[in-house]
Amino acid sequence: TSRVKMASIETAAEHERILREIESTDTNCIGPTLRSVYDGQEHGLFMEKLDVRIRNHDREIEKMCNHHFQGFVDSITELLKVRGEAQKLKSQVTETNRRLQDDGKELINSMEELKQCRVQQRNIATTIDKLTHCLPVLEMYSRLQEQMRAKRYYPALRTLEQLEQTCLPRAGQYRFCSIMAENIPKLRTQIRDTAMTQLRDFLESIRKHSDKIGETAIKQAQLQRSLDSSISMQPRALIGRRGRKLVAAAMTGMDSDGQGGSPVSEQDSGILDVEDEDEDDEVPGAQDLVDFSPVYRCLHIYTVLGLRDVFENYYRKQRRKQARLVLQPHSNMHETLEGYRRYFNQIVGFFVVEDHVLHTTQGLVNRAYVEELWELALSKIVAALRTHSSYCDDPNLVLDLKNLIVLFADTLQGYGFPVSQLFDMLLEMRDQYGEILLKKWNITFRQVLDQDNYSPIPVSTEQEYRHYTSQFPLQDPELEKLPFPKKLPFSEFVPKVYCQLKEFIYACLKYSEDLHLSSTEVDDMIRKSTNLLLTRTLSHCLQYAIKKKNVGLAELVQVIINTTHLEQSCHFLEEFISNITNVPPDTVNATKLYGTSTFKDARHAAEAEIYTSLNAKIDQFLQLADYDWLAAVQGGGTLTASDYLIDLIAFLKSTFSVFTNLPGKVAQTACMSACKHISTSLMQLLLDPEVRQISMGALHQLNTDVKECESFARAGPVAGFQGDTLLLAFSDLRQLLELFTQWDWSTYLADYGKPTCKYLRVNPHTALALLEKMRETSRKNNVFAQFRKMDRDRQKLIDTVIKQLRNLIAQHHT
């Protein structure tokens, strides 16, 4: 029962809850609540409670209505009153609405007009906005056209890039934008091709004008060197600095439109016009002559186009081709200095341009590329100079060429190029220059020797004397004490040769200038060259002068005197070289001059020529000898010397009188040589195979002639001989003649081989040959037909002596 009671209580509570929920919940959401009632078993009970609840509400409503009914009636009454007023109000509103509609028509029209204005205003704003984006496009395109017409291609390319990347995308899709976009690649191609055309014109222009560029650079280097030759130039510190700064400023300048990276110069010419440069105090910089803007412009254009590598390869390839053309010398370059100068100017101009491009562009050319070009150039330059300079035979041209090469090397060295090979080649050319000098001085020396009168120089005044002593270092105190007029011991060729030696030394010194050689090297070079001049050139010229035809003994004597003085002057030449090179002569390893030996050799040659010439003259006299080899012995009277021998003795006396100025030994040797030659020649006359018969009378005549010669020798034609030394020249002939004329065979045969032999100098072969000639004479004598006893005895005696001589020869010569 309690369970039922609890269940009914729960059911009643649940129904109460449902009713409250129905009362408080929106009618749209009451469905689930009612379902829960019908799902349960007590829905009848619920319906009852629902009816009770409805009735309760109805009673409350009724109470409420009763409570407010009078108010409701009053409200209805008021409402009826209001209805009348409402009708009036409606009429008024209708009238007001009518009037409002009538008045609103104008407002609507105004509003329509306002609306139209708003639309127009919006369209205008839209148009302005669009124009704001389109006008920059048009303005930029117009600027592009102006830049193209003005040939300002790099700014045009920058404008084109800005137009394509910024302005056209903002402008939108318009037909003119499409046309512009289509033209942009064409314009780029046009700019690229035009820039390349300008570059080609630039390359062609600098190729043609490289001579002018190089000439200006060399002038500038020469000017700098002359301004301060003692201070070494810093590379690129002065040469072309102003030109480089100008061009560098041009590269980094701004164009008039404010676009960066455009060169200041928009000229397309490769070479600027420089007029009247000789009239200006300052030589223009080499780079001042060149407008590099085409290169920079083309480089920038190709960089913007993404074709920098293409441009670099093209530029380098073209410049290599130009380098080969520049380095190819003209076939007749060696004929004039101007040919060499033009060749060097072109090379300098080429490398000045490359050096400037290297330092004013970033990577268009690099150091390795320039060094490679220079190595190529250096090898070709050296080869060309070696070839062409070998044709040159003018020392002045070689010297000018050397100075030109030095200036060429110094100019390029100022730009940082290594030039040691050029100076090495100049040292090679030094030998060639020396050979050319030797040839020139060979001609000069020969002219001096040919024009010389080979007579002592007469001087009549102090002025003349000082003139010659200033040319040649004559130191003769005794000569200075003699009164005027007097004679210098040497002839004209001594001071002339000495002056020419100094001129040669000066010529060698000129070549060594500016070669960066030490004083020792210069001194060594000059000494070696001077030695060649002395030992080869001057020596040969002296030999030529000595050995040429028609040189008299007096001339030869003067040559000996001259060479003696030149030999004595050699130490003055040593001092002269030391003074101009500032190298003491006693320096270790210093080359000594060979002048002393040269002049000694020449003097010895002249001495030998004197001996030879004297002997030749003696032979001319001996050719006049006409001995009667079959002459009979004269019974009485005195024999006289032959005429030819008398003339010969007179000639020798006059000749030896000229030898007084010679060194004593030379005169003595000449006199001894002449006497020996006479003795030998007379001996040869006796032993001449063509003379087959000789009589005793002929021997007596020859003996008389020998006595005349001995008398000449005994008289001492030349001072300095001791005792009868000169007579020894005739001793062979004298002993032979005495042996035959005195017929002293017993003594000869008995004492032969002994040191004390009276006829020590008689050769048995010689005696045998002469005896056989005498036997032949005896056999063919007409008197022999009578066979006189005396003749028969003499014949037997000759035969006996011949037999004994043969036995003697057999004993001592087997």
Side-chain angles (χ1 to χ4, degrees):
T1 308
S2 60
R3 287 183 184 175
V4 172
K5 198 170 186 177
M6 279 296 282
S8 62
I9 292 173
E10 292 177 0
T11 301
E14 179 66 20
H15 288 171
E16 186 65 27
R17 185 190 64 76
I18 292 172
L19 288 174
R20 284 197 304 273
E21 187 174 349
I22 290 172
E23 288 175 346
S24 61
T25 305
D26 190 7
T27 56
N28 292 330
C29 302
I30 202 170
T33 304
L34 293 177
R35 175 174 289 277
S36 66
V37 173
Y38 285 98
D39 288 341
Q41 300 297 326
E42 301 296 335
H43 60 278
L45 183 60
F46 175 73
M47 291 301 294
E48 290 178 1
K49 285 191 175 188
L50 181 60
D51 289 338
V52 172
R53 181 64 60 89
I54 290 172
R55 284 193 296 273
N56 288 335
H57 281 297
D58 286 343
R59 281 194 297 273
E60 289 178 3
I61 291 171
E62 185 176 352
K63 286 179 182 180
M64 183 69 69
C65 288
N66 288 333
H67 177 72
H68 294 289
F69 178 74
Q70 184 62 42
F72 177 71
V73 172
D74 293 338
S75 296
I76 292 299
T77 302
E78 288 295 327
L79 185 60
L80 289 175
K81 290 180 181 180
V82 170
R83 186 175 65 178
E85 294 297 328
Q87 289 297 329
K88 290 180 183 180
L89 181 61
K90 180 180 179 181
S91 298
Q92 292 176 359
V93 169
T94 303
E95 182 64 24
T96 302
N97 182 50
R98 185 186 59 76
R99 289 199 303 271
L100 182 61
Q101 291 298 327
D102 292 339
D103 295 336
K105 287 181 181 178
E106 295 180 4
L107 181 59
I108 289 172
N109 292 333
S110 298
M111 290 299 294
E112 285 294 332
E113 292 177 0
L114 179 61
K115 178 183 176 182
Q116 189 66 30
C117 286
R118 295 286 186 186
V119 171
Q120 291 177 353
Q121 188 178 16
R122 186 171 64 250
N123 290 340
I124 289 173
T126 304
T127 302
I128 290 173
D129 182 60
K130 295 297 182 181
L131 287 175
T132 301
H133 291 90
C134 291
L135 282 176
V137 175
L138 297 174
E139 290 174 356
M140 195 161 291
Y141 196 80
S142 175
R143 184 195 304 170
L144 175 64
Q145 295 297 325
E146 290 178 2
Q147 290 170 339
M148 293 291 290
R149 284 193 295 272
K151 299 181 179 180
R152 300 175 62 237
Y153 296 110
Y154 180 72
L157 195 61
R158 305 295 295 181
T159 302
L160 199 64
E161 182 180 3
Q162 189 175 359
L163 179 66
E164 182 182 30
Q165 296 180 0
T166 305
C167 297
L168 283 179
R170 291 179 182 175
Q173 300 296 324
Y174 295 102
R175 185 179 177 190
F176 74 89
C177 292
S178 301
I179 294 173
M180 289 181 184
E182 291 174 359
N183 285 336
I184 284 175
K186 298 178 182 178
L187 290 172
R188 277 204 179 95
T189 303
Q190 180 183 349
I191 291 173
R192 184 192 66 195
D193 294 343
T194 305
M196 183 57 69
T197 300
Q198 290 181 359
L199 177 67
R200 291 193 187 101
D201 294 341
F202 169 81
L203 292 174
E204 180 64 21
S205 181
I206 61 173
R207 186 187 69 81
K208 291 180 180 178
H209 295 84
S210 59
D211 185 11
K212 181 69 174 176
I213 300 169
E215 179 184 0
T216 304
I218 291 177
K219 280 184 180 179
Q220 197 173 39
Q222 190 174 19
L223 177 63
Q224 177 58 34
R225 189 172 68 171
S226 64
L227 289 176
D228 190 3
S229 60
S230 62
I231 300 177
S232 60
M233 287 186 298
Q234 297 178 359
R236 265 179 295 281
L238 294 169
I239 300 177
R241 175 186 292 173
R242 183 164 59 91
R244 181 169 296 143
K245 284 185 176 179
L246 289 175
V247 180
M251 287 184 59
T252 56
M254 304 290 288
D255 67 7
S256 59
D257 295 328
Q259 303 296 332
S262 173
V264 170
S265 174
E266 293 295 338
Q267 300 179 8
D268 294 326
S269 171
I271 305 298
L272 300 177
D273 212 3
V274 178
E275 297 291 341
D276 301 329
E277 62 178 29
D278 293 335
E279 298 177 3
D280 297 335
D281 293 335
E282 182 181 2
V283 177
Q287 291 84 358
D288 295 348
L289 300 176
V290 184
D291 176 20
F292 287 92
S293 59
V295 179
Y296 306 140
R297 186 182 304 120
C298 199
L299 175 61
H300 293 162
I301 287 171
Y302 270 71
T303 301
V304 172
L305 294 175
L307 300 173
R308 183 185 177 99
D309 292 342
V310 174
F311 175 74
E312 289 180 1
N313 293 333
Y314 177 81
Y315 178 85
R316 295 183 184 186
K317 181 179 179 182
Q318 294 301 315
R319 289 297 280 166
R320 280 194 179 95
K321 289 182 179 178
Q322 290 187 355
R324 292 188 180 94
L325 291 176
V326 166
L327 295 171
Q328 184 65 35
H330 293 289
S331 58
N332 60 344
M333 182 178 73
H334 59 275
E335 295 178 358
T336 61
L337 185 67
E338 191 59 34
Y340 289 105
R341 181 177 285 111
R342 192 180 308 112
Y343 178 64
F344 289 140
N345 287 345
Q346 290 177 351
I347 295 173
V348 171
F350 177 89
F351 281 100
V352 165
V353 170
E354 288 306 286
D355 178 79
H356 190 74
V357 171
L358 171 67
H359 287 86
T360 55
T361 60
Q362 297 179 351
L364 177 57
V365 296
N366 53 30
R367 175 60 64 183
Y369 160 79
V370 176
E371 289 178 353
E372 177 191 352
L373 271 184
W374 176 240
E375 287 297 325
L376 169 69
L378 206 54
S379 61
K380 290 187 175 293
I381 291 169
V382 170
L385 290 177
R386 281 174 178 161
T387 301
H388 285 269
S389 64
S390 63
Y391 299 134
C392 183
D393 54 2
D394 181 5
N396 294 326
L397 179 58
V398 175
L399 188 61
D400 291 339
L401 174 60
K402 166 257 168 182
N403 292 330
L404 191 60
I405 294 174
V406 169
L407 190 56
F408 167 74
D410 287 347
T411 302
L412 288 174
Q413 190 174 29
Y415 284 88
F417 294 100
V419 294
S420 58
Q421 287 189 40
L422 291 175
F423 284 100
D424 292 341
M425 190 208 61
L426 284 174
L427 295 180
E428 294 178 14
M429 283 179 58
R430 180 182 63 185
D431 298 334
Q432 177 192 350
Y433 176 70
E435 290 297 326
I436 295 174
L437 287 182
L438 292 178
K439 291 179 181 178
K440 178 182 177 181
W441 258 259
N442 180 63
I443 297 173
T444 303
F445 284 145
R446 290 209 174 195
Q447 290 175 348
V448 169
L449 295 174
D450 288 341
Q451 295 170 3
D452 195 58
N453 58 9
Y454 295 95
S455 300
I457 303 174
V459 288
S460 56
T461 63
E462 179 72 21
Q463 184 178 1
E464 289 183 15
Y465 182 79
R466 296 303 171 197
H467 169 71
Y468 285 108
T469 55
S470 65
Q471 292 180 344
F472 180 78
L474 176 64
Q475 294 182 339
D476 191 343
E478 295 182 0
L479 182 63
E480 288 188 4
K481 294 177 182 178
L482 294 177
F484 292 99
K486 53 188 174 183
K487 290 185 178 182
L488 302 179
F490 45 77
S491 65
E492 289 278 357
F493 97 66
V494 171
K496 287 182 179 180
V497 166
Y498 188 81
C499 289
Q500 287 301 322
L501 288 173
K502 292 170 66 175
E503 288 296 324
F504 179 86
I505 292 170
Y506 275 127
C508 293
L509 180 65
K510 286 181 181 179
Y511 189 89
S512 64
E513 293 174 350
D514 301 320
L515 292 185
H516 310 301
L517 299 174
S518 65
S519 298
T520 307
E521 290 174 318
V522 173
D523 183 81
D524 185 66
M525 181 204 79
I526 292 176
R527 289 176 181 273
K528 287 181 178 178
S529 299
T530 307
N531 278 336
L532 284 176
L533 179 72
L534 292 169
T535 57
R536 279 176 44 187
T537 307
L538 182 56
S539 177
H540 291 168
C541 289
L542 290 173
Q543 295 290 341
Y544 159 78
I546 291 169
K547 295 184 180 299
K548 68 180 180 180
K549 294 181 179 180
N550 304 322
V551 178
L553 291 173
E555 286 86 350
L556 292 172
V557 169
Q558 190 62 53
V559 168
I560 292 174
I561 297 171
N562 290 348
T563 51
T564 302
H565 282 86
L566 286 172
E567 179 185 346
Q568 295 170 354
S569 70
C570 285
H571 72 278
F572 291 102
L573 280 180
E574 293 263 8
E575 293 177 0
F576 175 72
I577 295 175
S578 297
N579 290 335
I580 64 175
T581 60
N582 295 321
V583 177
D586 55 352
T587 303
V588 179
N589 297 327
T591 304
K592 300 300 180 184
L593 291 184
Y594 299 149
T596 302
S597 60
T598 297
F599 296 124
K600 275 185 179 178
D601 293 342
R603 186 169 68 253
H604 292 161
E607 292 171 3
E609 192 65 25
I610 284 180
Y611 309 149
T612 303
S613 178
L614 193 58
N615 292 342
K617 197 69 177 177
I618 291 172
D619 289 339
Q620 292 178 5
F621 282 99
L622 290 173
Q623 287 177 359
L624 301 176
D626 187 16
Y627 288 102
D628 182 6
W629 300 111
L630 301 178
V633 178
Q634 295 184 4
T638 303
L639 290 174
T640 58
S642 302
D643 293 339
Y644 84 90
L645 191 67
I646 295 174
D647 295 337
L648 174 58
I649 298 299
F651 164 75
L652 291 177
K653 288 180 179 179
S654 64
T655 299
F656 289 139
S657 65
V658 180
F659 285 11
T660 53
N661 292 327
L662 281 177
K665 184 178 179 181
V666 177
Q668 293 167 16
T669 305
C671 187
M672 178 62 77
S673 172
C675 291
K676 283 184 177 180
H677 188 68
I678 294 172
S679 176
T680 304
S681 298
L682 292 176
M683 182 71 76
Q684 290 175 351
L685 286 177
L686 280 176
L687 302 178
D688 188 355
E690 294 183 1
V691 179
R692 301 188 180 187
Q693 303 175 46
I694 295 180
S695 66
M696 186 58 70
L699 290 179
H700 283 294
Q701 180 61 49
L702 189 62
N703 187 40
T704 304
D705 290 344
V706 172
K707 287 181 180 179
E708 185 69 20
C709 291
E710 289 174 334
S711 175
F712 165 74
R714 198 175 291 110
V718 174
F721 286 109
Q722 295 181 356
D724 294 335
T725 304
L726 197 56
L727 288 175
L728 294 176
F730 301 98
S731 59
D732 292 2
L733 191 57
R734 164 53 50 212
Q735 292 181 13
L736 180 65
L737 290 174
E738 284 186 358
L739 176 61
F740 275 84
T741 55
Q742 296 179 10
W743 208 253
D744 193 9
W745 291 105
S746 58
T747 304
Y748 177 76
L749 294 173
D751 296 342
Y752 181 79
K754 297 179 181 179
T756 58
C757 179
K758 180 180 177 181
Y759 305 103
L760 184 63
R761 293 181 173 273
V762 177
N763 189 303
H765 291 278
T766 305
L768 179 61
L770 190 56
L771 272 175
E772 288 180 343
K773 290 186 178 184
M774 293 185 70
R775 185 175 62 178
E776 289 295 323
T777 304
S778 299
R779 284 179 179 176
K780 294 184 179 180
N781 198 329
N782 292 332
V783 182
F784 261 84
Q786 301 175 8
F787 290 102
R788 290 180 300 180
K789 183 177 184 302
M790 183 183 65
D791 293 331
R792 289 198 304 271
D793 294 340
R794 187 175 183 83
Q795 181 66 33
K796 290 179 180 178
L797 185 59
I798 291 174
D799 291 339
T800 303
V801 173
I802 289 175
K803 184 177 180 181
Q804 291 174 339
L805 281 175
R806 285 176 178 169
N807 292 333
L808 184 67
I809 292 171
Q811 291 175 4
H812 290 83
H813 295 85
T814 54

